[in-house]
Amino acid sequence: MGNSVQTLAYGSWPSPIDAALAAAHDGHPEFVGFVGDEAWWTEPRPTEGGRRTLVRRTADGTEESVLPAPWNVRSRVIEYGGQPWAGVMRDDGPLVVFVNFADQRLYRYEPGGEPRPLTPVSPVGGGLRWVDPQPHPERGEVWCVLEEFTGEGPTDVRRVVAAVPLDGSAAEDRTAVRELTDDNRRFVTGPRLSPDGRRAAWLAWDHPRMPWDGTDLVVAEVADDGTLRGARTVEGGPDESIAQVEWAADGTLVYSSDRTGYWNLYHRDDDGRCTALCAREEEFGGPLWKIGWRWFALLDDGQIAVVHGRGATALGILDPETGQVVDAAGPWTEFTPTLATHGGRVLGIGASPRSAYEVVELDAVTGEARVIGAAHDDPVDPAYYPEPQIRTFLGPAGREIHAHIYPPHHPDHVAPGTELPPYVIWAHGGPTSRAPLVLDLAIAYFTSRGIGVAEVNYGGSTGYGREYRNRLREQWGVVDVEDCAAVALALADEGTADRTRLAVRGGSAGGWTTAASLATTDVYACGTILYPILDLTTWGSGETHDFESQYLESLVGPLAEEPMRYTERSPAEHADRISAPFLLLQGLDDVICPPAQCERFLARMEGRRLPHAYIAFEGEGHGFRRAETMVRVLEAELSLYAQVFGLNPPGIPTLELAK
């Protein structure tokens, strides 16, 4: 860094954070677990085709990638996947089972050997898929969720709780898989066995509900022959979301429910009496986008490790006797929904505005926390990182809107005193999700060049209670658009952002919000739309996958009753209203938001002579994972802003905009 500060226009500051650097740091560790005393987790490899590998931390403290390329530890159940692996320590070493992405088979792996398949390849379409495995070596089985495609349609699918033999006898024989439940149309999580092995508990839900709308906590008896009998719903219902359930050591249940409007923890005894363990207006659970996510884990001494918070998450230890929570000391301001315990040790994954996601181990006895894996290592001087602000804005009708504001920031450059910076509004996906306040080099890519970013947790976002979440019910394409626009205009009105240089961008549901914003407001000068929903009617009537196939019933309303609402809100129906240049980015293997959505939208743009670009990526699905894709995306996005806003970023290839 030089000593003198230079004055240069916003958007033209030279930055060491290039697209390749940002791409190399995309993705983060997930799905922690203990195998004996060892900590294991999955980790992304963007430069290896975007695969995910298993990593173990050995006794001497070194990290080693357990599976070489092309092994890819990732499930496709409900397309978003979930817990893709589990392991146990036996006398002769670790036994690990995992799902391989390419064929979706379940494999058995013992260090030093080659993975061996435990399940067969399906003759039908999308195949047999597995998630949330629980090995039970004493039974010679691994219990998990089986998702089976029965036809060519995206909703021709069944799901059951199943037991797979660990000896490999089902690898070529589908009949060797024991199906433990017969109610095969519902969505289910992996079964948890009680300490005495006599009962199993899991979660289930039905269309049109999503798991954050209403779920059932199901308990069944485990018969002597290993089958499940007498399955019954003991908690939950159509208007109560239960996010997770576990067995306590004494054979009672602990679960996370939002019955009060926030996901809190409850204890259920054998007589059916339920007690709140820590009644607070904050979340001890979240939206179950991935099967096997864990917001709490029980410790041997009866305490409970928890990921909890409001608009952010901390890792803490809850004493169920007193209801007190003691949070781990450290720099982390956000923890993901994955936890594992072993003795008094707790594994989690935490990040902060100055550090990317790391594997953190908390000693529940001493309260000390330390990084043990995927340690953040600054790839550039942290002086180039943005310095975010947590803000609350007022939207229509005086409603609160939560947002994270990342002003332009550079250690050696400022803009001329009279110039206001361009800003990009980021709309997160989901939409039942939220933007976490963590270091993201894709954001730093823009802020270090002099472009501000505002992440908006619009109405419908999680982390602020059910009432905030429900603001989007039947209002998708309205409330999200209004809230993003309100933040953008507030930044302009207060003199933070240049009113004439505002952009909007988002992926998936955020891509929908971006396109809808361009079609229904005049707030933005341009937009970046990634793997979006653009046509509600076709998306909601058979074009997407089973998990979200009836999501629009709550987000927009029943299609049969509100067909005009679907038409009126769809950007694809109103391409003629879009007057701002845009960049459209799509994976050709996307089964959640298929390329057909983009193609119909573009067909309706023909003859409009509006500057735009469409880039489709072979081999990419929903959410980009390959480093070379992410480089192209970031550079194209920056070039769009440069052309529309009149910026001059050095060294960026020019995006060709068709007219």
Side-chain angles (χ1 to χ4, degrees):
M1 272 194 300
N3 295 320
S4 60
V5 173
Q6 282 188 283
T7 301
L8 270 181
Y10 287 118
S12 60
W13 301 345
S15 171
I17 302 171
D18 63 12
L21 187 74
H25 289 79
D26 190 76
H28 59 78
E30 283 186 296
F31 300 116
V32 294
F34 280 104
V35 182
D37 291 332
E38 288 184 355
W40 290 47
W41 60 90
T42 68
E43 211 171 272
R45 295 288 184 262
T47 56
E48 296 177 23
R51 77 182 186 99
R52 297 193 71 88
T53 186
L54 259 180
V55 176
R56 69 190 285 197
R57 187 178 195 268
T58 58
D60 63 2
T62 57
E63 294 169 46
E64 63 179 45
S65 179
V66 174
L67 297 165
W71 295 105
N72 187 356
V73 184
R74 185 173 147 224
S75 169
R76 281 190 64 184
V77 168
I78 69 168
E79 293 303 342
Y80 292 104
Q83 180 79 35
W85 77 277
V88 292
M89 185 63 75
R90 301 163 307 154
D91 292 342
D92 55 350
L95 166 65
V96 171
V97 293
F98 72 92
V99 179
N100 183 48
F101 183 73
D103 56 13
Q104 286 300 293
R105 296 172 86 181
L106 199 60
Y107 284 80
R108 169 181 179 147
Y109 172 72
E110 285 137 297
E114 281 293 306
R116 305 202 321 266
L118 295 179
T119 58
V121 175
S122 166
V124 178
L128 297 165
R129 300 175 178 182
W130 313 85
V131 75
D132 205 6
Q134 302 282 315
H136 297 292
E138 73 285 358
R139 296 174 180 270
E141 294 177 325
V142 52
W143 288 22
C144 46
V145 175
L146 160 61
E147 180 176 76
E148 181 173 23
F149 283 74
T150 56
E152 291 306 313
T155 58
D156 296 331
V157 60
R158 59 194 294 274
R159 292 173 198 86
V160 293
V161 174
V164 175
L166 282 168
D167 63 7
S169 56
E172 306 296 334
D173 180 8
R174 168 74 178 79
T175 63
V177 175
R178 289 198 311 124
E179 296 193 4
L180 302 176
T181 53
D182 52 13
D183 182 5
N184 61 32
R185 276 300 303 162
R186 306 187 84 194
F187 294 89
V188 291
T189 61
R192 301 292 184 258
L193 265 183
S194 61
D196 62 6
R198 296 185 175 184
R199 287 174 295 169
W202 65 92
L203 305 178
W205 66 94
D206 280 328
H207 282 318
R209 285 188 298 278
M210 300 300 282
W212 43 87
D213 296 325
T215 45
D216 294 337
L217 197 175
V218 181
V219 174
E221 308 300 319
V222 181
D224 291 340
D225 62 358
T227 58
L228 299 181
R229 307 272 173 84
R232 65 197 188 281
T233 297
V234 299
E235 297 294 338
D239 299 307
E240 177 184 354
S241 169
I242 296 178
Q244 186 188 337
V245 60
E246 305 291 343
W247 293 98
D250 62 359
T252 57
L253 289 169
V254 178
Y255 63 95
S256 171
S257 162
D258 75 345
R259 62 180 57 164
T260 63
Y262 290 85
W263 277 295
N264 281 187
L265 293 191
Y266 294 86
H267 174 257
R268 186 183 194 276
D269 66 20
D270 286 334
D271 296 324
R273 289 189 299 263
C274 295
T275 310
L277 299 180
C278 183
R280 293 186 183 183
E281 289 193 348
E282 61 177 76
E283 310 286 24
F284 290 76
L288 196 65
W289 281 103
K290 296 188 179 185
I291 293 172
W293 266 357
R294 300 181 77 186
W295 290 266
F296 69 90
L298 308 180
L299 289 150
D300 291 349
D301 63 2
Q303 295 191 103
I304 305 173
V306 290
V307 169
H308 70 106
R310 184 182 172 108
T313 48
L315 172 62
I317 301 296
L318 166 64
D319 182 341
E321 298 296 320
T322 65
Q324 296 299 305
V325 180
V326 178
D327 287 338
W332 311 285
T333 55
E334 187 73 35
F335 279 84
T336 67
T338 179
L339 286 173
T341 57
H342 177 65
R345 297 162 64 196
V346 180
L347 284 183
I349 293 175
S352 81
R354 312 293 291 176
S355 56
Y357 288 100
E358 310 172 290
V359 182
V360 176
E361 182 177 297
L362 170 64
D363 185 320
V365 178
T366 66
E368 289 185 12
R370 62 189 181 122
V371 175
I372 63 150
H376 174 74
D377 185 21
D378 289 313
V380 297
D381 188 328
Y384 291 95
Y385 297 163
E387 296 178 351
Q389 305 159 0
I390 301 172
R391 298 276 306 270
T392 303
F393 296 87
L394 284 184
R399 65 176 182 249
E400 289 191 343
I401 307 165
H402 303 289
H404 303 145
I405 309 302
Y406 295 83
H409 177 76
H410 194 292
D412 296 337
H413 288 85
V414 294
T418 56
E419 188 186 3
L420 290 175
Y423 257 82
V424 185
I425 303 296
W426 282 32
H428 64 69
T432 310
S433 181
R434 70 180 168 86
L437 189 73
V438 300
L439 178 64
D440 182 344
L441 291 186
I443 291 177
Y445 177 78
F446 294 103
T447 57
S448 62
R449 285 171 170 76
I451 300 171
V453 170
E455 290 189 302
V456 181
N457 283 320
Y458 48 79
S461 300
T462 50
Y464 307 96
R466 189 169 182 125
E467 187 180 336
Y468 195 85
R469 210 161 74 231
N470 281 348
R471 284 186 192 173
L472 212 55
R473 289 192 78 84
E474 300 199 1
Q475 296 297 310
W476 195 40
V478 179
V479 164
D480 49 327
V481 170
E482 289 177 348
D483 286 3
C484 287
V487 171
L489 294 174
L491 292 173
D493 289 346
E494 71 185 26
T496 298
D498 184 342
R499 172 66 186 88
T500 66
R501 296 193 293 178
L502 297 171
V504 59
R505 70 94 76 179
S508 190
W512 153 269
T513 300
T514 297
S517 297
L518 296 179
T520 60
T521 79
D522 62 357
V523 173
Y524 308 102
C526 62
T528 301
I529 307 166
L530 299 98
Y531 36 89
I533 299 166
L534 295 167
D535 182 344
L536 292 177
T537 305
T538 57
W539 194 84
S541 54
E543 201 165 70
T544 190
H545 63 135
D546 191 42
F547 175 58
E548 292 181 275
S549 61
Q550 296 183 40
Y551 194 7
L552 299 184
E553 297 277 305
S554 59
L555 286 176
V556 183
L559 178 58
E561 297 169 26
E562 303 287 352
M564 289 308 296
R565 189 185 291 170
Y566 279 62
T567 303
E568 181 56 37
R569 290 192 196 165
S570 292
E573 296 286 344
H574 303 293
D576 58 313
R577 295 183 189 169
I578 295 179
S579 57
F582 64 85
L583 168 62
L584 185 57
L585 302 154
Q586 176 69 41
L588 291 176
D589 292 349
D590 193 338
V591 295
I592 295 172
C593 295
Q597 291 267 316
C598 291
E599 290 156 11
R600 280 196 301 275
F601 176 70
L602 290 168
R604 289 171 184 170
M605 293 299 302
E606 278 186 18
R608 291 280 325 282
R609 301 189 66 79
L610 181 69
H612 69 277
Y614 176 52
I615 308 175
F617 297 97
E618 289 187 12
E620 289 283 12
H622 194 66
F624 302 142
R625 286 182 166 78
R626 296 178 177 179
E628 60 270 25
T629 303
M630 292 182 279
V631 168
R632 182 93 190 275
V633 166
L634 281 173
E635 292 184 342
E637 186 178 350
L638 180 56
S639 179
L640 172 72
Y641 304 148
Q643 293 178 60
V644 174
F645 294 155
L647 313 177
N648 187 29
I652 303 299
T654 300
L655 173 70
E656 292 294 328
L657 293 173
K659 291 183 182 176

